[in-house]
Amino acid sequence: VKSAERGDPYALQFQYAKMELEEQLAEMAAEEDGTFDYVSVRPTAFFKSVSGQVEVVNGGGPFVYFDLGDDRNARCNPISEADLASALIDQVADDSHKNAYWNLGGPDEGMSMKE
């Protein structure tokens, strides 16, 4: 969704759709006088998805990454499915992300494929 927010030309259609949904949720929360709450979770790639590329490459397919131009490519900070599930469960008892967007990734700053 960050790519869609910036209007980056490489943003995917589902990122624009999620951004639109988040805007609608924020409007609903503002209109309902506190009776409607939401948290929009924006997880980064899953380790499972990233590691799935190994199978594709081993099968003769191309290695896929997002080229941003100017010798830059997209950074990735993958999160495991178990860590994402734990964070979501913890959120049920923690209002720190209430009525907000939550960019959720792995434990570090992430790396580009070039790095």
Side-chain angles (χ1 to χ4, degrees):
V1 177
K2 286 181 171 182
S3 299
E5 286 177 327
R6 291 188 302 255
D8 291 337
Y10 57 86
L12 304 173
Q13 289 303 311
F14 78 85
Q15 293 171 315
Y16 287 106
K18 183 163 186 175
M19 186 176 71
E20 184 177 322
L21 174 63
E22 290 173 342
E23 291 168 359
Q24 292 173 359
L25 290 171
E27 289 172 11
M28 290 171 61
E31 292 171 1
E32 296 293 326
D33 295 329
T35 60
F36 178 80
D37 295 326
Y38 73 95
V39 176
S40 180
V41 179
R42 297 173 171 179
T44 60
F46 294 112
F47 275 113
K48 185 177 181 179
S49 299
V50 175
S51 65
Q53 285 210 46
V54 173
E55 294 174 21
V56 171
V57 171
N58 283 342
F63 182 77
V64 179
Y65 68 95
F66 293 97
D67 184 351
L68 305 179
D70 296 327
D71 200 31
R72 300 176 306 130
N73 54 51
R75 299 177 72 80
C76 184
N77 187 5
I79 188 169
S80 72
E81 293 159 324
D83 287 345
L84 175 60
S86 292
L88 294 175
I89 295 298
D90 290 346
Q91 179 57 39
V92 171
D94 176 7
D95 283 344
S96 64
H97 298 99
K98 179 177 163 180
N99 295 332
Y101 316 130
W102 187 14
N103 294 307
L104 183 60
D108 56 26
E109 292 298 315
M111 298 181 75
S112 71
M113 294 300 175
K114 188 174 185 176
E115 293 170 322

